[in-house]
Amino acid sequence: MEPAPVYLDNNATTRCDPKVVEAMIPFFSEQFGNASSMHAFGAEVGGALAKARKQLQALLGAEFDHEIIYTSGGTEADNMAIMSALETQGDRDEIVTSAVEHPAVLSLVAHLEKTGRAKVHIIGVDAKGRLDMEAYRKALGPKTAIVSIMWANNETGTIFPVEQLAELAHQAGALFHTDAVQAAGKIPIDMATNEIDMLSLSGHKLHGPKGIGALYARKGTRLRPLIRGGHQERGRRAGTENAPAIIGLGKAAELAMEHMADEQTRVAGLRDRLEKGLLQQIGNSFVTGDPDNRLPNTANVAFEYIEGEAILLLMNRQGIAASSGSACTSGSLEPSHVLRAMNVPYTAAHGAIRFSFSRENGDADVDRVLEVMPEIIGKLREMSPFWRERDNQAFNPTYA
Amino acid sequence: MWEYSEKVKDYFFNPKNSGVLEGADGVGDVGAISCGDALRLMIKVDPETQIITDARFQTFGCGSAIASSSALTELIIGKTIEEAMKISNQDIADFLGGLPPEKMHCSVMGYEALQAAVANYRGEEWVDDHEEGALICKCFGIDEGMIERTVRSNGLTSVDEITNYTKAGGGCSTCAEGIEGVLERVNAEMVAEGLLAAEKAFVPGVVPRKVKEKKVVRTDAAAKAPLTTLQKIKIIEQTLEEIRPSLQRDGGDCELVDVEGNRVIVKLTGACVGCHLSSATIEGVQARLVEAVGVPLIVIPAAPVH
């Protein structure tokens, strides 16, 4: 019998929980009304949307439900937060962000800088992926419009001290935004007890549907819509509400709260057991990121002297799904910007594999990976000229 | 996920001739760990016949790098050195049933390794083109000689192709201008040598200019008296040819089926089929045709053929 497939790429996307799908289904063909309409068809949808908003509000610990603005996903929420800040912050036109942000932030700020609309300060990280606090403090100033620093990194799981960072940003009079796409649903978030102004999240990273996300904007935060049109989301994000997806995200938020304790304990235990087992069985491998301060579900393990795409292809053949920061999987030719920012040597950066768990994983998944990985790594290392010559460095090719 | 041919997968999952060749007569080391791929090729050569009797490889790299290395050894074993030296990177890719464009540099690495191994066997220092010409791409250490040879042996005519084959320009991409310069010069030389058709050669900025020139000519023609049906069809055809590249970029396409009076029947294919924006596409095509021909026209999509 074929072993069951093992899905360990939950930071890329999660399986939509069947309970979420069940909650969504009636809102396609049965309760299909437009919530804005003045009739019964619309009213019943409006009620369900209000409930969904309360569910997401609870996950975030937000004081008011109107602090939530639905978007098409995390990327739109990130774009909205940054673009809005540039419009509302007067003559402040500088952005402070980190070198390990998601492209949803980094590509945008690079474009804004290139087109002369903002000056951008990119703050570096140390070998564990922790923010350079000294550089951060120095970058903040009277011209800073907004700071955007992720709550947790998607590749390594490293958690940033966003609550402290927000306080520092406020001392400089800047807005603070955090991309919490990887954090939301995995670690507790309580917006009532911090100073963060804006927060982005995405439905499909927490067992909700794709194509839905939200921007949390604290009451009183001045906003400018990214998308203009109708009066939806109190005029802050136009377009007919994506009712099934919003309702699905609400259900996903409710389920994430139910499983929060499981995520911190059992899921973290699975991750730790996988990491320990891999490092024990496979030499010349190490964990990247900050082991003391990271998401409970993420393990990023670098296997030296081999290349990530080749590892993933062999894993895929065994029915195991994970991902890699390797250049060859992205088509960009450069290894992961996150690992490069952390100064992970090239000998390891190309062979870094991210295993990301969810509540749907179990012990059998860990067993299966531990069973096949040593052979996969061994096979590729046998083929690698760097592996054989790693001690005497006799392999030194003539061109680079 | 890359779309690898069955043969690439086979040569990756079950690579032939991998490992160390003890007592090799020639060894070629190419690539670098920073680039994500590197290859050591080892060959044994019969001194009498100059036939490569055995070859092995060791590769650090992705699936297609390993498959290309293995394919190279299969291609050269049993050949004389002289025969083997005629193998191009394209031969390696062809042997594997093709490589994704972004992975063509894997086959180039195989070609390089063979040159290096043979030079090593002959007791020469393998320098090839690498010591020649300015360094163009700093991210990947690609110099002018490397770009020139790849352009020549593969008949490349665009910067994107050069990036796919050599990696040059694939990092920070600030060297795009430098690559354009080399491409322009080499293409011009190839045209002079009869290796490339003049109209295919790369000329910087030629694309937008061409469109403008055509428009001017057409407006003049349209401004004159009524067109014959043949003239009208010719202008419609010419205009559609200008529109097609932008449709093709989105995976779609459009072809002329018939012209009946002021009714122009076109067939949308590829990604245009079933695309909810296809009506907008039709409207756009109609606007362009009306502008070009200078008389009212209605564009009608032909029923798609399944």
Side-chain angles (χ1 to χ4, degrees):
Chain A
M1 204 180 78
E2 285 273 306
V6 176
Y7 186 77
L8 290 174
D9 202 10
N10 287 283
N11 285 10
T13 195
T14 55
R15 188 173 80 112
C16 197
D17 193 303
K19 287 177 189 163
V20 169
V21 178
E22 195 187 327
M24 292 170 70
I25 290 289
F27 295 91
F28 286 99
S29 297
E30 292 162 30
Q31 302 176 51
F32 61 87
N34 186 328
S36 305
S37 302
M38 292 304 294
H39 46 59
F41 292 89
E44 57 188 4
V45 176
L49 290 178
K51 182 188 164 196
R53 198 179 285 274
K54 290 279 179 200
Q55 288 168 318
L56 186 55
Q57 180 193 357
L59 178 71
L60 297 178
E63 203 176 345
F64 304 98
D65 65 357
H66 60 72
E67 292 176 324
I68 289 161
I69 303 154
Y70 290 108
T71 65
S72 60
T75 296
E76 186 193 322
D78 287 342
N79 273 254
M80 180 175 171
I82 291 169
M83 296 303 290
S84 171
L86 287 181
E87 279 195 57
T88 59
Q89 288 282 78
D91 60 357
R92 290 171 177 255
D93 60 357
E94 294 187 7
I95 300 168
V96 175
T97 188
S98 85
V100 297
E101 295 300 308
H102 190 273
V105 170
L106 283 181
S107 297
L108 173 66
V109 300
H111 176 71
L112 291 171
E113 179 147 68
K114 194 176 156 195
T115 51
R117 285 184 278 174
K119 185 179 173 197
V120 179
H121 299 270
I122 307 245
I123 310 301
V125 296
D126 68 8
K128 287 184 172 180
R130 295 174 301 193
L131 198 73
D132 179 344
M133 291 300 288
E134 186 62 31
Y136 177 67
R137 282 197 181 86
K138 273 189 193 156
L140 296 171
K143 293 288 281 174
T144 313
I146 186 168
V147 175
S148 182
I149 308 266
M150 61 197 346
W151 198 306
N153 183 265
N154 48 314
E155 290 189 31
T156 62
T158 298
I159 295 172
F160 289 93
V162 283
E163 298 177 347
Q164 183 197 349
L165 297 174
E167 288 170 22
L168 291 169
H170 287 167
Q171 285 167 21
L175 286 171
F176 186 87
H177 164 256
T178 184
D179 177 338
V181 163
Q182 293 296 343
K186 293 184 186 132
I187 52 175
I189 289 177
D190 186 16
M191 299 308 284
T193 59
N194 65 44
E195 286 189 19
I196 294 165
D197 300 297
M198 290 184 275
L199 172 148
S200 304
L201 64 87
S202 168
H204 74 100
K205 307 284 193 193
L206 49 121
H207 302 280
K210 294 170 178 65
I212 189 75
L215 179 69
Y216 162 93
R218 188 175 299 280
K219 185 184 170 190
T221 306
R222 294 179 65 214
L223 275 182
R224 289 290 178 274
L226 188 65
I227 295 179
R228 292 177 185 274
H231 58 86
Q232 293 87 357
E233 304 298 316
R234 299 180 182 230
R236 295 168 298 178
R237 203 287 190 177
T240 299
E241 294 88 351
N242 184 354
I246 290 171
I247 289 157
L249 175 54
K251 186 69 187 175
E254 183 188 292
L255 293 170
M257 288 184 77
E258 282 173 22
H259 290 91
M260 191 63 78
D262 176 62
E263 187 89 25
Q264 311 305 310
T265 53
R266 189 186 62 86
V267 173
L270 293 174
R271 188 270 315 269
D272 291 344
R273 187 160 75 85
L274 175 74
E275 252 177 23
K276 209 173 152 195
L278 287 174
L279 298 193
Q280 261 171 11
Q281 295 185 51
I282 302 169
N284 288 82
S285 58
F286 60 90
V287 172
T288 73
D290 182 4
D292 300 325
N293 206 7
R294 59 178 171 157
L295 294 175
N297 79 317
T298 308
N300 190 305
V301 183
F303 300 101
E304 290 185 289
Y305 306 110
I306 49 177
E307 197 278 336
E309 187 209 276
I311 302 172
L312 292 182
L313 288 170
L314 290 177
M315 286 170 67
N316 183 52
R317 211 182 181 209
Q318 300 288 344
I320 301 170
S323 72
S324 136
S326 137
C328 279
T329 52
S330 63
S332 74
L333 304 176
E334 275 278 303
S336 146
H337 72 282
V338 175
L339 299 183
R340 279 193 304 130
M342 290 161 62
N343 254 329
V344 173
Y346 279 114
T347 44
H350 284 288
I353 300 294
R354 178 186 70 186
F355 303 91
S356 48
F357 289 77
S358 83
R359 61 183 187 240
E360 299 195 332
N361 291 114
D363 276 309
D365 296 330
V366 177
D367 293 340
R368 176 84 185 124
V369 177
L370 290 177
E371 182 191 330
V372 304
M373 282 308 279
E375 195 187 326
I376 288 172
I377 302 302
K379 177 179 172 167
L380 291 173
R381 280 184 175 165
E382 255 327 289
M383 266 192 268
S384 167
F386 292 107
W387 175 247
R388 191 167 286 256
E389 309 290 358
R390 65 191 180 283
D391 296 325
N392 54 21
Q393 299 190 339
F395 182 73
N396 190 16
T398 50
Y399 88 92
Chain B
M1 197 86 173
W2 300 109
E3 284 191 21
Y4 286 137
S5 71
E6 286 306 312
K7 207 158 176 193
V8 171
K9 287 186 209 162
D10 187 40
Y11 271 79
F12 168 64
F13 288 127
N14 308 296
K16 297 181 176 70
N17 311 316
S18 81
V20 174
L21 181 60
E22 299 296 345
D25 300 313
V27 177
D29 293 348
V30 293
I33 203 157
S34 59
C35 301
D37 46 28
L39 159 61
R40 167 174 283 182
L41 178 70
M42 295 150 277
I43 54 172
K44 266 200 171 154
V45 183
D46 183 323
E48 295 292 310
T49 59
Q50 291 291 293
I51 286 173
I52 298 171
T53 56
D54 203 359
R56 298 260 174 126
F57 75 92
Q58 285 186 294
T59 293
F60 161 84
C62 60
S64 59
I66 289 169
S68 294
S69 308
S70 183
L72 171 68
T73 59
E74 288 282 280
L75 277 168
I76 62 173
I77 292 173
K79 286 198 170 66
T80 64
I81 285 193
E82 199 184 337
E83 289 164 347
M85 292 293 273
K86 288 179 188 154
I87 292 168
S88 68
N89 73 291
Q90 190 61 50
D91 293 330
I92 297 170
D94 290 346
F95 178 83
L96 288 168
L99 286 170
E102 295 86 349
K103 297 288 192 174
M104 281 304 289
H105 62 83
C106 295
S107 66
V108 174
M109 185 170 72
Y111 169 86
E112 300 276 355
L114 179 61
Q115 308 298 310
V118 169
N120 176 258
Y121 166 71
R122 289 173 173 165
E124 298 162 3
E125 183 73 15
W126 182 64
V127 285
D128 200 64
D129 287 331
H130 278 106
E131 303 291 314
E132 295 171 16
L135 182 66
I136 302 285
C137 171
K138 292 197 173 92
C139 294
F140 295 107
I142 310 290
D143 61 34
E144 197 165 348
M146 172 75 175
I147 293 174
E148 171 159 358
R149 204 186 45 239
T150 310
V151 167
R152 282 183 167 272
S153 59
N154 296 283
L156 306 186
T157 55
S158 76
V159 174
D160 286 348
E161 285 174 329
I162 291 175
T163 305
N164 288 335
Y165 278 68
T166 67
K167 287 187 169 190
C172 68
S173 78
T174 52
C175 60
E177 199 179 348
I179 297 176
E180 283 191 10
V182 179
L183 183 59
E184 191 182 1
R185 174 179 65 74
V186 176
N187 272 187
E189 287 170 12
M190 288 164 75
V191 170
E193 293 162 27
L195 298 171
L196 185 71
E199 66 270 19
K200 284 193 176 163
F202 174 80
V203 181
V206 78
V207 179
R209 266 210 307 276
K210 252 186 193 167
V211 175
K212 268 186 189 164
E213 283 164 9
K214 272 187 194 164
K215 255 189 184 167
V216 172
V217 172
R218 203 170 47 231
T219 315
D220 291 347
K224 286 180 193 165
L227 298 164
T228 66
T229 306
L230 186 62
Q231 284 172 322
K232 196 156 64 178
I233 290 173
K234 275 193 175 158
I235 295 173
I236 290 170
E237 276 179 340
Q238 193 186 358
T239 310
L240 280 178
E241 283 306 310
E242 289 169 19
I243 298 171
R244 287 178 67 202
S246 68
L247 296 176
Q248 286 162 353
R249 269 199 297 279
D250 294 330
D253 208 345
C254 170
E255 57 186 84
L256 183 62
V257 176
D258 204 356
V259 178
E260 301 164 352
N262 67 342
R263 292 153 55 91
V264 181
I265 297 149
V266 299
K267 191 167 86 180
L268 293 181
T269 54
C272 292
V273 177
C275 171
H276 66 290
L277 290 172
S278 60
S279 63
T281 305
I282 291 285
E283 278 176 29
V285 170
Q286 180 167 315
R288 286 283 298 274
L289 292 182
V290 169
E291 188 196 341
V293 182
V295 296
L297 294 168
I298 303 166
V299 175
I300 299 164
V305 183
H306 290 289

